[in-house]
């Protein structure tokens, strides 16, 4: 028997003692009071006579959006009253003394401190001298000295810690160091700098840098490679509170302050923190279709609301799916100055354990064996060059990402007697068919497949696959004979709620008649490729004359698939069959993207900074059924914070009109983005462009 009193004992106290002399600083929010006067050794009673030495009257951080620092550092878009600069590049501040500064007699420094227990050796305490004979890790100089005002230039090291630094001005006297008292308004945020070659995040192509750091409005692509759908997203990296929320994510992860100058460590830690399963991270994943206790993933219009909710509640936000994780992670990276973009791969091999095969198992009749087919077709940072060249030994998830874009879809026929699997068809081009992202400076998509892989069938591709095999990736070597009957399912465009015809086109290339027993399966699938439910199963038989083609038409009714729909729903049709005369297998796959109705978004009023405007969102229910428990959201970077409205019912054929006021806070081109979401209808979006005048 166990002792109940012993079982109730608290766990032993965990201590860092024996490993380090003090706890590792892991919070940017922590800070210690720096003494206003730090004596050199023992002092006699009473205050020292300091009147003859420099006294600091004022420190101007030059932190306004139209002043030199934010303009030169491309940080004027941040909705923050604090100074925000980028490392490896000079910024300026003005110090007003009680008398003119005399370089020969006076000694002063600007001190920067981050985190708790700051130390010079750790790079968390940086004293910056303005004289050439006392330079530190950060360069300092006097830019100008007029009357009592000295303009100081500070250049943080290009690999310094990224975060919120406290700033002090210190004057050296024979008795000790006299400092300004701590003032939060003098805190300075130092970010990564893709404009400076010495920074490891440097990006030399101007248009790419503009897009991947400064652009707030993104496009996320989904659907099928030959029928691409898109939705807008407000990354909102400059919105009020977002920068602090990004720093909080690193604090929440207890990431050591000293690691926060390394973009790889920052990106890897933040990637893990996007998911609530890691250290109570930002977002709770949910693919169930039940979002009662949160926001449906398809309802979000941007990252701002998610990040602000997380930083204020200190709790994970409900709910997300993959594109939400990607978009919020993209916001985090751009906000801190790391160039980033959201990429969509059509189609990804997600459940392949890092091998190069996505297996589809057929029974002896050519029908898919659903019990044995487990793979589906749909990361931490990995080198894109390593992925393209098969160097999957590189950290951190290179084997996984390589397989995502290079797997073959292999059809196996299972022998019912002994369970052995015989490869009967290999499709080497379905996975990784196309990789896209938003084009720099435009709302069009850009095909970047060639950045991740060489052309299908090229000598370079064969070399890369052989290289990957050397590192342990397995792929199917067999080359089954091609069937002499071709099967194709042509592309069709379908609006959600419509009945439609699915066409199967057969072509007999042989000089003899052929009979094909076909199995056609229609499934509602998540954007990941994982099957939600099968809504259609047909077994047509096709007889083909020699060297003739034949079409079969299958009627698909909306009432069969509408009740099964999930978010970002696609319909996935797979046709498999066996040629009676030869035993050969024929297969075809088609992803049908369901196109949703659009929201109308209109703006009215004078588009001018600080002038009130109106946005009107309109929607008409085009279906024969009611929409219940409907949420509408709208937001726009620099002009409108996220707002939402709930409608309990939108009856069939009826319309809603929602008008909301907003006041632009800055000039320039921007967008308002809106979404409508309910259980019966996901992925309904609209947007309006406007250019705000000063």
């Amino acid at each position: 028997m166990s002792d109940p009193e012993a079982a109730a004992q608290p766990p032993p106290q965990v201590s860092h003692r024996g490993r380090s002399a003090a706890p590792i600083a892991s919070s940017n929010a922590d800070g210690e009071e720096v003494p206003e006067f730090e004596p050199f050794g023992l002092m006699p009673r009473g205050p020292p006579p300091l009147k003859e030495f420099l006294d600091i009257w004022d420190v101007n951080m030059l932190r306004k959006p139209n002043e030199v620092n934010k303009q030169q550092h491309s940080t004027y878009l941040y909705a923050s009253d604090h100074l925000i600069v980028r490392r490896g590049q000079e910024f300026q501040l003005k110090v007003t003394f009680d008398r003119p500064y005399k370089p020969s007699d006076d000694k002063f420094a600007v001190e920067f401190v981050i985190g708790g227990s700051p130390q010079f050796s750790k790079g968390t305490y940086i004293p910056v001298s303005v004289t050439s004979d006392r330079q530190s890790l950060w360069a300092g100089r006097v830019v100008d000295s007029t009357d009592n005002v000295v303009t100081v230039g500070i250049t943080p090291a290009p690999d310094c810690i990224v975060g919120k630094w406290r700033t002090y001005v210190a004057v050296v006297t024979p008795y000790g160091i006299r400092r300004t008292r701590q003032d939060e308004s003098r805190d300075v945020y130092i970010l990564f700098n893709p404009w400076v070659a010495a920074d490891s995040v440097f990006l030399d192509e101007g248009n790419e840098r503009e897009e991947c750091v400064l652009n707030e409005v993104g496009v996320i692509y989904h659907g099928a490679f030959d029928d691409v759908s898109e939705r807008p997203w407000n990354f909102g990296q400059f919105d009020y509170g977002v920068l602090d929320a990004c720093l909080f994510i690193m604090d929440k992860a207890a990431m050591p302050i000293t690691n926060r100058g390394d973009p790889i460590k920052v990106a890897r830690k933040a990637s893990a923190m996007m998911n609530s399963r890691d250290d109570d991270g930002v977002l709770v994943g949910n693919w169930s279709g039940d979002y009662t206790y949160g926001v449906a993933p398809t309802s979000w219009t941007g990252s701002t609301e998610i990040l602000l909710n997380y930083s204020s509640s200190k709790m994970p936000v409900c709910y997300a799916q993959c594109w939400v994780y990607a978009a919020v992670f993209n916001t985090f990276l751009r906000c801190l100055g790391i160039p980033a973009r959201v990429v969509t791969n059509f189609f990804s091999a997600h459940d392949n354990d890092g091998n190069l095969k996505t297996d589809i198992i057929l029974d002896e009749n050519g029908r898919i064996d659903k019990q044995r087919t487990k793979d589906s077709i749909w990361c931490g940072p990995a080198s894109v060059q390593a992925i393209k060249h098969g160097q999957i030994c590189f950290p951190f998830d290179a084997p996984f990402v390589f397989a995502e874009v290079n797997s073959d879809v292999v059809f196996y026929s299972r022998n019912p007697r002994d369970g052995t699997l015989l490869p009967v068809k290999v499709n080497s081009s379905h996975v990784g068919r196309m990789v896209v992202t938003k084009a720099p400076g435009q709302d069009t998509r850009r095909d970047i497949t060639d950045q991740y892989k060489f052309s299908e069938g090229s000598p370079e591709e064969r070399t890369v696959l052989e290289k990957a095999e050397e590192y342990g990736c397995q792929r199917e070597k067999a080359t089954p004979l091609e069937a002499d009957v071709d099967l194709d399912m042509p592309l069709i465009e379908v609006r959600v709620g419509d009945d439609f015809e699915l066409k199967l086109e057969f072509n007999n290339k042989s000089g003899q008649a052929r009979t094909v027993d076909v199995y056609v399966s229609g499934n509602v699938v998540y954007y990941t490729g994982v099957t939600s439910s099968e809504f259609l199963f047909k077994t047509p038989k096709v007889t083909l004359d020699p060297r003739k083609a034949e079409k079969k038409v299958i009627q698909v009714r909306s009432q069969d698939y509408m009740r099964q729909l999930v978010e970002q729903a696609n319909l996935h049709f797979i046709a498999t069959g066996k040629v009676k005369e030869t035993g050969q297998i024929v297969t075809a796959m088609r992803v049908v993207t369901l196109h949703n109705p659009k929201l109308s978004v209109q703006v009215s009023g004078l588009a001018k900074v600080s002038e009130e405007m109106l946005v009107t969102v309109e929607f008409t229910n085009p279906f024969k059924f009611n929409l219940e428990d409907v949420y509408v959201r709208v937001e726009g970077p620099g002009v409108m914070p996220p707002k939402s409205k709930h409608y309990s019912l939108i009856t069939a054929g009826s319309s809603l009109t929602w008008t909301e006021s907003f006041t632009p806070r800055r000039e320039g081109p921007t967008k308002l983005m809106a979404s409508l979401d309910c259980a019966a209808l996901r992925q309904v979006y609209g947007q309006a462009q406007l250019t705000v005048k000063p």
Side-chain angles (χ1 to χ4, degrees):
M1 294 289 290
S2 62
D3 184 351
E5 290 189 9
Q9 292 293 321
Q13 189 72 31
V14 177
S15 171
H16 64 273
R17 185 176 175 84
R19 185 176 186 273
S20 60
I24 296 174
S26 60
S27 174
N28 203 161
D30 288 347
E32 298 175 3
E33 285 290 335
V34 177
E36 289 184 48
F37 184 76
E38 188 176 343
F40 296 149
L42 296 175
M43 292 289 296
R45 291 186 178 182
L50 299 177
K51 289 186 178 180
E52 60 187 282
F53 303 103
L54 272 182
D55 193 10
I56 306 141
W57 281 4
D58 182 59
V59 180
N60 181 356
M61 300 299 291
L62 302 176
R63 53 195 172 95
K64 294 179 181 178
N66 59 347
E67 291 184 305
V68 60
N69 289 327
K70 288 187 175 179
Q71 289 293 317
Q72 291 186 353
H73 287 252
S74 299
T75 57
Y76 53 88
L77 293 173
Y78 286 88
S80 172
D81 292 332
H82 285 91
L83 176 59
I84 303 172
V85 297
R86 302 184 189 276
R87 64 187 192 178
Q89 181 177 344
E90 185 180 81
F91 67 92
Q92 297 179 8
L93 53 88
K94 291 181 182 290
V95 183
T96 302
F97 295 107
D98 62 334
R99 60 168 173 78
Y101 165 63
K102 301 175 184 176
S104 58
D105 300 334
D106 301 323
K107 293 181 181 179
F108 77 94
V110 184
E111 299 176 323
F112 297 90
V113 175
I114 189 169
S117 305
Q119 301 174 54
F120 180 79
S121 62
K122 301 286 188 184
T124 54
Y125 164 65
I126 307 289
V128 182
S129 173
V130 296
T131 58
S132 58
D133 60 328
R134 296 173 61 87
Q135 287 296 297
S136 67
L137 298 174
W138 299 9
R141 69 186 182 104
V142 173
V143 177
D144 180 69
S145 182
T146 304
D147 296 328
N148 295 12
V149 180
V150 177
T151 303
V152 180
I154 307 285
T155 305
D159 59 353
C160 77
I161 295 166
V162 164
K164 187 177 182 180
W165 292 75
R166 302 186 298 282
T167 307
Y168 303 88
V169 177
V171 173
V172 180
T173 76
Y175 305 99
I177 298 174
R178 175 162 62 186
R179 290 187 180 88
T180 52
R181 63 167 52 97
Q182 184 174 341
D183 185 340
E184 189 180 338
S185 69
R186 295 180 190 143
D187 290 350
V188 54
Y189 294 85
I190 298 181
L191 311 179
F192 294 100
N193 195 345
W195 280 264
V196 167
D199 194 317
S200 56
V201 303
F202 174 61
L203 184 60
D204 60 349
E205 211 289 304
N207 289 336
E208 289 279 0
R209 189 172 57 226
E210 189 85 11
E211 177 69 35
C212 294
V213 180
L214 298 182
N215 187 26
E216 301 165 272
V217 179
V219 180
I220 296 174
Y221 299 99
H222 57 98
F225 82 96
D226 50 3
D227 188 13
V228 177
S229 296
E230 60 185 53
R231 57 158 300 169
W233 189 273
N234 174 25
F235 294 124
Q237 67 266 36
F238 305 124
D239 284 350
Y240 180 81
V242 169
L243 177 53
D244 283 322
C246 293
L247 298 182
F248 169 73
I249 289 171
M250 292 190 285
D251 286 353
K252 181 79 169 177
M255 182 180 186
I257 293 287
T258 52
N259 287 350
R260 300 189 190 185
D262 184 333
I264 293 177
K265 291 179 179 177
V266 168
R268 189 148 177 82
K269 179 61 71 175
S271 176
M273 282 297 293
M274 288 299 111
N275 194 326
S276 65
R277 295 174 65 180
D278 297 298
D279 304 311
D280 283 333
V282 179
L283 285 155
V284 178
N286 186 345
W287 285 261
S288 71
D290 181 2
Y291 308 115
T292 305
Y293 299 104
V295 176
T298 44
S299 187
W300 299 113
T301 47
S303 306
T304 302
E305 186 177 359
I306 293 169
L307 288 168
L308 295 185
N309 284 352
Y310 181 66
S311 62
S312 62
S313 70
K314 312 293 190 289
M315 296 291 291
V317 178
C318 301
Y319 293 104
Q321 291 177 8
C322 296
W323 77 93
V324 182
Y325 288 119
V328 175
F329 185 36
N330 191 71
T331 297
F332 174 93
L333 295 172
R334 289 188 183 183
C335 184
L336 293 184
I338 301 175
R341 63 190 181 189
V342 174
V343 167
T344 301
N345 177 35
F346 301 95
F347 302 94
S348 293
H350 198 69
D351 298 324
N352 51 30
D353 300 322
N355 63 37
L356 296 178
K357 300 184 297 178
T358 297
D359 301 335
I360 297 178
I361 315 300
L362 309 178
D363 64 18
E364 67 271 21
N365 298 313
R367 178 178 177 177
I368 292 178
D369 188 334
K370 293 185 180 295
Q371 297 299 315
R372 293 180 171 85
T373 298
K374 301 298 183 184
D375 287 353
S376 61
I377 307 177
W378 51 292
C379 321
S383 164
V384 173
Q385 283 296 309
I387 299 305
K388 182 171 182 176
H389 292 276
Q391 301 283 351
I392 60 173
C393 57
F394 278 61
F396 287 91
D397 294 319
F400 173 77
V401 180
F402 182 81
E404 290 249 295
V405 297
N406 283 291
S407 286
D408 294 336
V409 179
V410 184
F411 292 83
Y412 291 93
S413 180
R414 183 176 181 273
N415 188 318
R417 291 183 292 276
D418 58 12
T420 56
L421 299 176
L422 176 69
V424 292
K425 185 171 182 179
V426 178
N427 186 333
S428 61
S429 63
H430 184 75
V431 170
R433 181 71 65 91
M434 184 170 69
V435 184
V436 298
T437 190
K438 179 182 174 297
Q442 305 174 45
D443 282 342
T444 56
R445 69 176 180 267
R446 175 185 174 194
D447 188 333
I448 55 172
T449 312
D450 62 349
Q451 295 183 20
Y452 289 82
K453 58 191 295 188
F454 290 100
S455 300
E456 292 286 347
S458 66
E460 294 89 349
E461 187 211 23
R462 286 195 296 273
T463 301
V464 165
L465 293 174
E466 290 167 1
K467 174 67 69 175
E469 284 187 280
E470 292 177 12
Y471 291 112
C473 268
Q474 300 175 3
R475 64 185 177 116
E476 182 56 60
K477 297 289 186 63
T479 53
L481 289 174
E482 286 288 322
D484 55 19
V485 174
D486 287 339
L487 171 57
D488 185 40
M489 282 189 277
L491 173 68
I492 47 176
E493 283 202 12
V494 180
R495 293 182 305 175
V496 66
D498 282 357
D499 298 339
F500 62 94
E501 294 181 344
L502 180 71
K503 295 183 175 66
L504 278 67
E505 297 180 350
F506 297 84
N507 182 25
N508 182 4
K509 297 182 292 184
S510 76
Q512 299 174 332
R514 292 287 184 254
T515 304
V516 186
D517 291 312
V518 186
Y519 300 90
V520 182
S521 174
N523 299 273
V524 172
V525 294
Y526 293 93
Y527 66 93
T528 58
V530 174
T531 298
S532 170
S533 57
E534 184 179 61
F535 67 90
L536 178 143
F537 183 73
K538 301 289 185 182
T539 57
K541 177 178 283 192
V542 181
T543 301
L544 300 167
D545 292 332
R547 305 195 187 283
K548 294 291 184 180
E550 184 75 33
K551 289 184 180 179
K552 277 286 182 183
V553 176
I554 295 176
Q555 300 294 329
V556 181
R557 302 181 306 169
S558 63
Q559 65 191 64
D560 294 331
Y561 69 78
M562 282 296 290
R563 289 191 296 268
Q564 317 286 342
L565 286 186
V566 293
E567 54 284 322
Q568 283 214 5
N570 295 317
L571 305 182
H572 192 200
F573 295 93
I574 299 183
T576 61
K578 197 171 192 177
V579 180
K580 183 177 180 181
E581 291 79 9
T582 64
Q584 295 170 330
I585 297 294
V586 295
T587 67
M589 294 185 286
R590 168 59 60 192
V591 175
V592 174
T593 302
L594 297 176
H595 294 272
N596 285 323
K598 300 289 185 183
L599 280 181
S600 168
V601 183
Q602 303 288 334
V603 294
S604 58
L606 180 62
K608 191 175 180 180
V609 172
S610 300
E611 292 282 343
E612 186 175 84
M613 299 182 68
L614 297 176
V615 57
T616 300
V617 181
E618 295 180 312
F619 175 76
T620 299
N621 179 0
F623 304 112
K624 297 176 182 178
F625 53 86
N626 298 337
L627 299 177
E628 300 177 355
D629 204 21
V630 179
Y631 284 90
V632 183
R633 276 182 156 72
V634 64
E635 65 177 296
V639 291
M640 186 177 186
K643 295 186 178 181
S644 63
K645 190 173 180 66
H646 177 253
Y647 294 85
S648 57
L649 180 69
I650 305 175
T651 57
S654 68
S655 300
L656 69 83
T657 300
W658 173 33
T659 300
E660 192 71 45
S661 64
F662 66 95
T663 304
R665 64 172 178 83
R666 66 162 193 255
E667 62 182 282
T670 187
K671 290 182 181 179
L672 285 166
M673 290 155 279
S675 74
L676 179 144
D677 196 87
C678 65
L681 184 63
R682 308 286 188 193
Q683 296 280 94
V684 179
Y685 305 110
Q687 60 183 347
Q689 293 183 318
L690 69 156
T691 300
V692 180
K693 296 179 180 179

